[in-house]
Amino acid sequence: MSKLLLGVLLCVIACRPDTTTATAPYIIEKSVISKDAGIASAHPLASKIGLEIMRKGGNAVDAAIATQFALAVCYPGAGNIGGGGFMVLRNADGTTDALDFREMAPAAAHRDMYLDSTGNVIEGLSINGHLAAGVPGSVDGMVKAFSKYSKLGDWAALIQPSIELASKGLILTEREANGLNRTRDRFIELNTRTPRFVKENGTWQMGDTFKQPELANVLQEIRDHKEAGFYEGWVADSITSEMQRGGGLITKEDLANYTAIWRTPLIGEYKGHEIISMPPPSSGGIALQQLLSAVESFPLSDYGFHSIEAVHLMIEAERRAFADRATHIGDMDYYPVPIAQLMDDGYNKERMANFNPDKATNSDDILAGEFADHESEQTTHFSIIDKDGNAVAVTTTINTGYGSKVVVGGAGFLLNNEMDDFSAKPGVPNFFGLIGNEANSIAPGKRMLSSMTPSIVTKDGELKLVVGTPGGSTIITSVFQTIINVVDFKMGANDAVQSCRFHHQWVPDMVMLEKDCFDEGTQSALKSLGHEINQRDGYIGAVEAILVLPDGRLDIAADKRGDDSAMGY
Ligand code: DON
């Protein structure tokens, strides 16, 4: 089985805990129209906490911070304080910003740390256990976002609801119960003290109350001491003791040195829309713009939604963008990513010069572009718009489902396995089947390349869409397809989000089709064009989107593929 297939399969099993419709003990709205404010996140309790903050006068950033902490409690497979992420925001006055709170490699990390003595990648070392963890960025990210943009100005108020949720406990959904049960053996294997994620005497059931008192204590430290409550003091001590116990690399200095970074968002253009997205260390913003530019001159709406012409064209654009990703994109503080060249409209349109509407291109015939001068499945996304029109898109992750499965002893939170997003060895695929090169090699302090694509779209200077999703490499193609659904196929948020998705990432050379989606006719037409088809045994992504309607109301959509919940007022 190829790495990608394995990754996809594992992500189906672990990243989105279940693929069936859960009879969750919550009323979960997937599609809501609201007048003033809206939120879509992976869990109804997190959406509720974020919405309440806005009702109390907080802005979209305040709501985002509260939602991030809430997800760390109620959605432990992906929500986190032990991971990292990206925030893209657009203020009501039109100014934009981007916050990089991606994890970084510990100082003791080195290029060949996952290779054996013969130079081969040691299977699983960057995925499970202590060595897989990068230095977490989420807490510093939230503090930086608060300092720069909070309207409420009350840090404790943003965290208190999550403290209560952790200490009083939350009612498990069917999906979460299944996800925890499926990871039970790994939790036991990788932790000396059995973590609370493992139910004593039996398995979790939907409706069980799940309490996390250690996590509540950590959140109290963060409430009382902001970033110092995590990167210093007893929480930092717990992280480093955990590292020593399990042979991990993160030290006190690594924690003290971590800083989230404000970056300039990438701003591109598509059919009169402005596309605001995340720069490196995410590949998302660059790749999204490449995809949109590549298809822009083609009459997609004439072709029709999910017509063979449209799907084939978009697959071929995806193939080309992922070739560039593998070669050119990494942490730009360590590698000269040719951002302007990769974002160049002419370059991306030229990349389609060898596109053949009647035949799939062979990935072997697609190389990454060459530039003379270099300038210098589990994740979760939430989209928020407040009553003043401030918009925030956050994608945050501990990488695969429940991250490294290592729970910090005495502190009750999971550490990420984000180190797997580096290229452990040139050309060797990671969990998501992505290959990389020098641009994304491991180096001390470097941030691993991401596919996360929190994005905001405007039209004629007005806010139009806030969008993002989890899904590893499929994040880029899911955000791309959602934007195309809105702009070209004129869908509302709900249709744009719930529609079937497909994915191509250059290598391996195959199209992944979401389960139960594309009929036999479409599949055989794609095959006859020369595409290898892989019918995925699960869903692709979990998109959360808010579309601003022409009358100013918010069309909020949460993905049907999970417990994702849309709310507004
Ligand atoms: O940053 C990235 O691209 C990955 N760590 C995201 C992982 C992910 O989306 C897993 N979820 N399904």
Side-chain angles (χ1 to χ4, degrees):
M1 193 183 307
S2 80
K3 270 261 182 145
L4 176 70
L5 279 174
L6 185 64
V8 164
L9 193 66
L10 290 174
C11 201
V12 167
I13 293 168
C15 298
R16 304 292 307 167
D18 203 348
T19 54
T20 56
T21 306
T23 41
Y26 302 96
I27 296 166
I28 297 182
E29 300 280 359
K30 297 296 179 188
S31 174
V32 168
I33 304 281
S34 79
K35 197 165 104 7
D36 288 328
I39 180 167
S41 87
H43 198 286
L45 294 175
S47 292
K48 186 160 174 273
I49 285 173
L51 199 74
E52 283 304 310
I53 290 294
M54 290 194 279
R55 280 191 201 276
K56 287 182 181 150
N59 61 14
V61 173
D62 289 314
I65 296 165
T67 305
Q68 171 82 28
F69 285 111
L71 286 165
V73 180
C74 62
Y75 192 45
N80 68 83
I81 53 174
F86 301 113
M87 176 185 289
V88 170
L89 57 108
R90 180 183 184 273
N91 300 304
D93 64 7
T95 53
T96 57
D97 215 339
L99 180 60
D100 160 8
F101 54 101
R102 182 71 161 166
E103 300 91 327
M104 66 176 195
H110 59 92
R111 190 193 162 88
D112 297 333
M113 63 185 277
Y114 298 115
L115 304 187
D116 64 17
S117 55
T118 60
N120 291 319
V121 173
I122 303 167
E123 191 95 21
L125 203 57
S126 62
I127 295 180
N128 293 311
H130 298 69
L131 266 186
V135 184
S138 293
V139 174
D140 196 53
M142 293 308 105
V143 175
K144 290 230 166 34
F146 176 80
S147 306
K148 192 164 176 183
Y149 287 110
S150 173
K151 182 176 168 211
L152 203 61
D154 184 350
W155 173 251
L158 304 182
I159 307 189
Q160 194 57 37
S162 299
I163 296 172
E164 278 158 34
L165 199 56
S167 57
K168 289 187 187 144
L170 70 121
I171 309 292
L172 289 179
T173 65
E174 185 181 350
R175 278 195 179 84
E176 195 63 63
N178 290 345
L180 290 169
N181 292 337
R182 272 197 285 262
T183 321
R184 179 187 173 93
D185 293 348
R186 281 284 192 206
F187 285 141
I188 293 170
E189 178 199 337
L190 292 166
N191 294 283
T192 35
R193 288 181 241 182
T194 304
R196 292 201 182 257
F197 300 112
V198 175
K199 186 172 180 182
E200 281 176 56
N201 312 321
T203 53
W204 293 107
Q205 306 295 324
M206 177 182 70
D208 281 353
T209 300
F210 176 48
K211 294 186 181 177
Q212 302 172 80
E214 294 90 358
L215 177 58
N217 291 340
V218 175
L219 291 172
Q220 277 176 25
E221 281 297 303
I222 298 169
R223 177 196 64 193
D224 297 342
H225 305 290
K226 293 197 176 145
E227 74 275 27
F230 184 85
Y231 296 94
E232 298 168 25
W234 72 264
V235 177
D237 289 344
S238 306
I239 296 173
T240 50
S241 308
E242 185 60 51
M243 286 290 120
Q244 281 154 16
R245 186 186 67 69
L249 300 182
I250 301 173
T251 61
K252 283 268 183 57
E253 290 69 41
D254 288 321
L255 293 168
N257 287 340
Y258 183 83
T259 183
I261 301 172
W262 288 105
R263 300 198 184 268
T264 307
L266 295 179
I267 302 191
E269 200 268 340
Y270 179 66
K271 295 190 175 166
H273 295 73
E274 197 179 51
I275 312 291
I276 305 156
S277 194
M278 194 67 210
S282 184
S283 60
I286 293 175
L288 175 63
Q289 189 57 46
Q290 291 194 289
L291 291 168
L292 292 169
S293 296
V295 301
E296 192 171 21
S297 338
F298 295 85
L300 271 171
S301 54
D302 293 349
Y303 292 162
F305 174 66
H306 280 177
S307 63
I308 297 304
E309 291 92 333
V311 173
H312 174 57
L313 172 74
M314 291 164 77
I315 288 168
E316 290 300 328
E318 293 173 4
R319 183 196 305 281
R320 285 158 178 79
F322 274 90
D324 278 339
R325 183 196 190 278
T327 306
H328 291 302
I329 315 182
D331 182 348
M332 60 191 170
D333 295 341
Y334 283 72
Y335 185 87
V337 181
I339 297 183
Q341 289 96 326
L342 289 169
M343 297 274 291
D344 183 73
D345 194 51
Y347 167 70
N348 288 304
K349 293 196 161 59
E350 181 55 33
R351 292 279 278 167
M352 295 300 278
N354 62 354
F355 165 71
N356 181 342
D358 301 318
K359 194 170 184 310
T361 315
N362 190 325
S363 281
D364 291 341
D365 298 332
I366 298 290
L367 299 176
E370 284 185 25
F371 307 110
D373 288 323
H374 278 192
E375 35 173 284
S376 107
E377 242 171 70
Q378 180 155 10
T379 300
T380 188
H381 175 87
F382 46 96
S383 295
I384 304 179
I385 299 179
D386 67 25
K387 68 174 175 36
D388 296 319
N390 301 299
V392 174
V394 175
T395 315
T396 180
T397 188
I398 43 177
N399 197 22
T400 61
Y402 305 99
S404 63
K405 300 11 168 232
V406 173
V407 180
V408 175
F413 65 90
L414 280 155
L415 287 171
N416 66 84
N417 59 351
E418 221 72 62
M419 292 293 285
D420 189 62
D421 276 349
F422 278 118
S423 171
K425 184 180 177 183
V428 175
N430 75 354
F431 181 87
F432 295 103
L434 291 165
I435 56 173
N437 226 305
E438 190 49 40
N440 191 31
S441 61
I442 305 172
K446 189 172 174 181
R447 296 176 191 219
M448 54 296 283
L449 184 60
S450 173
S451 300
M452 292 189 282
T453 315
S455 300
I456 297 174
V457 178
T458 67
K459 177 93 197 300
D460 304 326
E462 301 289 334
L463 180 63
K464 178 158 178 173
L465 181 69
V466 186
V467 62
T469 181
S473 51
T474 68
I475 291 174
I476 294 167
T477 46
S478 295
V479 172
F480 167 54
Q481 289 165 38
T482 307
I483 292 176
I484 294 285
N485 287 347
V486 168
V487 172
D488 291 277
F489 299 120
K490 311 283 179 240
M491 291 184 193
N494 196 41
D495 286 345
V497 164
Q498 315 304 358
S499 298
C500 294
R501 304 187 188 114
F502 53 90
H503 174 75
H504 197 295
Q505 60 180 51
W506 179 50
V507 175
D509 190 348
M510 64 177 191
V511 186
M512 189 198 296
L513 299 179
E514 195 166 20
K515 80 168 196 173
D516 302 335
C517 268
F518 294 89
D519 59 25
E520 272 305 316
T522 307
Q523 293 188 43
S524 57
L526 285 171
K527 278 185 201 152
S528 68
L529 289 173
H531 292 289
E532 191 185 319
I533 301 294
N534 176 253
Q535 183 74 36
R536 188 177 189 171
D537 184 26
Y539 294 130
I540 295 181
V543 175
E544 321 288 8
I546 308 181
L547 177 66
V548 182
L549 297 173
D551 64 5
R553 288 178 309 153
L554 304 179
D555 179 4
I556 311 155
D559 207 306
K560 67 177 182 189
R561 295 161 176 84
D563 295 330
D564 311 57
S565 132
M567 289 186 193
Y569 67 81

